[in-house]
């Protein structure tokens, strides 16, 4: 079963993505289903709270999601004012944020409270508390301050790489699932509580790498059928089966165009009849083909 969000690439652009064998679709998405029960034997897929906890855990969380970042040019430091409501949604604590920032940046992170910090301060070049003594003699440069700001904004504090958003939804059978923007099939499939037999991504290359060429072939068929159905176009499935077979016949997912299937045909006339006719004929003449 595959469910589309309204902002997912559809129609002709999506068909082009598929037959061109794009490594990453413009809007990668996943549908993540849960196991019937969790590791403790409690019902999982029908428990909205537990599914929301998993969604919060796999969704990428950055400092910008949970804090206001201020750059103090005069004092040469960066402060983070933590938003407690946002952190509660993300299932994070101030101490956890401080520790993750400190480990990732390898810098000393000052906090207004050791146990429950609400405000954090970071100074470029200060890796331990003792370095604060020499900060007046060797203050950080403006460039270092801006570089640190960019690092903090880009840092992933929590979640799975590639999963930008994770929303909990409910199907007609009363089962909760997670719809994502972003995809990482191999990591998500191994996450506790995830039913990997039903979890799906629209990233065909990820399917190929994780599940193999047969799964990729089926994904090509599924995605083309779904896209054409949404566009209300009636195409015989045998045409789609042929396209998928040709794209995957060599054991890898190849594009239909001149950089893939059509560009590797043995006949120069067949290659020239598809695209860039003059270039193909000129090259054939040069090498005596």
């Amino acid at each position: 079963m595959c469910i589309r969000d309204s902002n997912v690439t559809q129609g002709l652009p999506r068909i082009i993505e598929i037959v061109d064998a794009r490594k990453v679709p413009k809007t990668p998405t996943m549908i993540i289903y849960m196991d019937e029960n969790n590791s403790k034997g409690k019902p999982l897929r029908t428990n909205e709270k537990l599914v929301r906890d998993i969604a919060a855990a796999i969704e990428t969380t950055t400092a910008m999601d949970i804090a206001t970042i201020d750059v103090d040019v005069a004092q040469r430091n960066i402060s983070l004012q933590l938003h407690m409501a946002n952190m509660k949604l993300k299932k994070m604590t101030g101490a956890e944020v401080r520790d993750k920032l400190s480990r990732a940046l390898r810098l000393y992170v000052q906090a207004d409270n050791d146990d429950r910090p609400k405000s954090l301060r970071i100074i470029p070049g200060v890796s331990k508390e003792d370095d604060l003594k020499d900060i007046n003699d060797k203050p950080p440069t403006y460039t270092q301050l801006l570089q640190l700001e960019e690092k903090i904004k880009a840092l992933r504090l929590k979640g799975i790489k590639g999963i930008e958003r994770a929303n909990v939804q409910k199907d007609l059978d009363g089962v909760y699932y997670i719809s994502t923007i972003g995809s990482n099939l191999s990591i998500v499939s191994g996450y506790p509580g995830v039913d990997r037999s039903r979890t799906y991504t629209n990233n065909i290359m990820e399917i190929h790498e994780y599940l193999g060429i047969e799964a990729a072939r089926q994904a090509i068929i599924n995605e083309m059928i779904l896209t054409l159905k949404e566009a209300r176009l009636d195409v015989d499935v045998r045409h789609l089966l042929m396209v998928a077979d040709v794209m995957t016949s060599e054991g890898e997912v190849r594009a239909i165009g001149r950089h893939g299937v059509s560009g590797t045909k043995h006949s120069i006339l067949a290659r020239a009849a598809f695209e860039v006719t003059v270039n193909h004929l000129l090259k054939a003449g040069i090498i005596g083909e």
Side-chain angles (χ1 to χ4, degrees):
M1 181 177 182
C2 185
I3 301 169
R4 295 271 189 169
D5 289 328
S6 59
N7 58 348
V8 173
T9 304
Q10 298 178 6
L12 181 60
R14 178 57 182 156
I15 292 292
I16 292 173
E17 280 186 350
I18 296 169
V19 299
D20 277 355
R22 302 277 174 85
K23 290 185 177 180
V24 181
K26 187 177 180 181
T27 50
T29 63
M30 293 189 73
I31 300 298
I32 306 171
Y33 280 94
M34 305 293 112
D35 290 330
E36 185 174 356
N37 299 311
N38 63 12
S39 58
K40 297 180 180 178
K42 295 182 179 180
L44 176 58
R45 63 178 60 163
T46 55
N47 190 318
E48 183 179 4
K49 182 180 181 302
L50 293 179
V51 177
R52 288 194 180 280
D53 289 345
I54 293 176
I58 67 175
E59 182 181 74
T60 295
T61 299
T62 66
M64 297 181 69
D65 294 324
I66 58 172
T68 299
I69 303 173
D70 295 318
V71 179
D72 191 334
V73 178
Q75 298 297 323
R76 292 291 197 271
N77 66 64
I78 296 175
S79 64
L80 286 80
Q81 301 299 324
L82 303 179
H83 302 313
M84 306 314 293
N86 291 2
M87 290 178 59
K88 186 177 180 180
L89 290 173
K90 298 290 187 178
K91 307 294 181 183
M92 300 184 73
T93 64
E96 182 184 358
V97 173
R98 179 192 60 194
D99 292 342
K100 289 189 175 183
L101 284 171
S102 180
R103 288 198 301 268
L105 300 173
R106 296 183 180 180
L107 295 175
Y108 174 65
V109 180
Q110 294 176 283
D112 59 343
N113 185 293
D114 288 336
D115 297 326
R116 297 181 178 179
K118 295 182 179 179
S119 178
L120 305 175
R121 190 168 75 107
I122 308 172
I123 303 174
V126 177
S127 57
K128 54 184 182 296
E129 190 173 3
D130 291 342
D131 293 342
L132 292 172
K133 299 175 183 177
D134 304 324
I135 196 65
N136 292 328
D137 298 331
K138 296 180 180 179
T141 65
Y142 181 64
T143 300
Q144 289 176 315
L145 195 66
L146 293 181
Q147 289 175 343
L148 179 59
E149 180 190 12
E150 293 302 317
K151 284 184 180 179
I152 292 173
K153 288 181 176 180
L155 186 63
R156 177 166 52 90
L157 298 175
K158 187 179 181 180
I160 294 175
K161 183 179 179 181
I163 305 297
E164 298 177 14
R165 289 289 178 267
N167 300 314
V168 175
Q169 299 183 25
K170 186 178 182 180
D171 65 14
L172 297 176
D173 297 324
V175 173
Y176 292 97
Y177 64 91
I178 300 172
S179 175
T180 74
I181 297 297
S183 178
N184 194 329
L185 181 62
S186 60
I187 302 300
V188 169
S189 296
Y191 198 86
V194 170
D195 182 358
R196 64 179 182 179
S197 67
R198 299 179 68 200
T199 294
Y200 184 81
T201 175
N202 69 347
N203 190 329
I204 295 169
M205 291 303 182
E206 275 191 1
I207 293 175
H208 175 222
E209 292 174 6
Y210 184 63
L211 296 174
I213 194 63
E214 287 295 335
R217 173 187 175 275
Q218 188 61 51
I220 292 170
I221 297 168
N222 292 346
E223 286 295 313
M224 287 196 293
I225 289 175
L226 182 62
T227 304
L228 291 169
K229 183 178 179 181
E230 289 173 342
R232 298 182 180 180
L233 296 174
D234 186 19
V235 177
D236 194 304
V237 70
R238 288 173 292 185
H239 295 305
L240 307 182
L241 291 172
M242 183 179 66
V243 170
D245 286 340
V246 170
M247 290 180 66
T248 58
S249 61
E250 298 295 326
E252 60 181 1
V253 181
R254 298 185 299 161
I256 290 293
R258 67 178 183 273
H259 299 297
V261 176
S262 296
T264 57
K265 289 181 179 179
H266 295 296
S267 169
I268 176 57
L269 295 179
R271 296 200 302 270
F274 186 76
E275 282 181 338
V276 291
T277 302
V278 174
N279 291 353
H280 281 302
L281 294 175
L282 182 60
K283 183 177 179 181
I286 292 173
I287 64 176
E289 189 178 6

